[in-house]
Amino acid sequence: MSSAAALTSPIPSGGKVCTSFPEILMIFEFVFGGLVWILVASTRVLFPADQGWVMFVSVFCFVITTLLLILYMAGVQKSSSAWTAVDVFYHFIAAVFYLSVAVLEASDTRFLFILSIAKNYKINIAATVFAFLATLVYTIHAILSILRWKSSS
């Protein structure tokens, strides 16, 4: 195996990151995750532990997705073949985390709706919808990253 073949990465770099699939999904992950973060931060807190987990996941995934997007645009994935494994691992973990967030947010929103405690439960409904959309996008990206990882090995 030559050293040139060892340094190639199936993950694109530069501006191609924003035009190639599945990397273009990172923009949707960024948007949906940011919306979950903003919507949950603007709601009333009846379950502080639940809101803490939702905020942790949304902020963590927002920051890491942004960091990965910047790193991929800079081309750091060309220095090592381990970046495809990092991509798979991160998107799988993010999908599982967001699934837990979406279910938790849906449960809390249902509770708020039944008790009619919060007047702004529509914001919680929007956060739930965007959490499920973020889960879907992260899951699709994880599956496509797994396929890319398997085909490159």
Side-chain angles (χ1 to χ4, degrees):
M1 180 179 212
S2 69
S3 62
L7 293 180
T8 60
S9 173
I11 301 171
S13 63
K16 292 180 182 177
V17 171
C18 294
T19 60
S20 65
F21 202 73
E23 278 68 42
I24 199 164
L25 293 175
M26 292 177 93
I27 304 213
F28 293 102
E29 296 164 4
F30 181 78
V31 170
F32 293 149
L35 285 170
V36 171
W37 176 10
I38 292 166
L39 290 168
V40 170
S42 69
T43 60
R44 290 187 48 174
V45 180
L46 292 177
F47 309 104
D50 293 354
Q51 187 178 24
W53 175 247
V54 173
M55 289 299 291
F56 168 76
V57 169
S58 59
V59 171
F60 172 78
C61 290
F62 186 87
V63 168
I64 300 298
T65 299
T66 303
L67 181 66
L68 278 179
L69 186 64
I70 291 168
L71 289 174
Y72 289 167
M73 290 181 95
V76 296
Q77 71 277 14
K78 291 182 178 183
S79 64
S80 172
S81 61
W83 282 98
T84 52
V86 168
D87 193 51
V88 169
F89 179 74
Y90 167 67
H91 284 95
F92 176 76
I93 294 299
V96 171
F97 278 7
Y98 258 110
L99 179 61
S100 72
V101 162
V103 170
L104 189 63
E105 188 66 25
S107 173
D108 290 352
T109 301
R110 181 178 172 265
F111 183 73
L112 290 173
F113 179 74
I114 289 172
L115 295 179
S116 299
I117 295 173
K119 295 177 182 177
N120 303 11
Y121 67 88
K122 291 179 183 178
I123 295 174
N124 290 79
I125 293 171
T128 303
V129 169
F130 285 119
F132 276 110
L133 286 172
T135 302
L136 178 66
V137 173
Y138 275 108
T139 302
I140 292 169
H141 197 150
I143 291 169
L144 294 173
S145 294
I146 289 170
L147 295 174
R148 177 174 51 204
W149 181 42
K150 291 304 246 179
S151 69
S152 70
S153 351

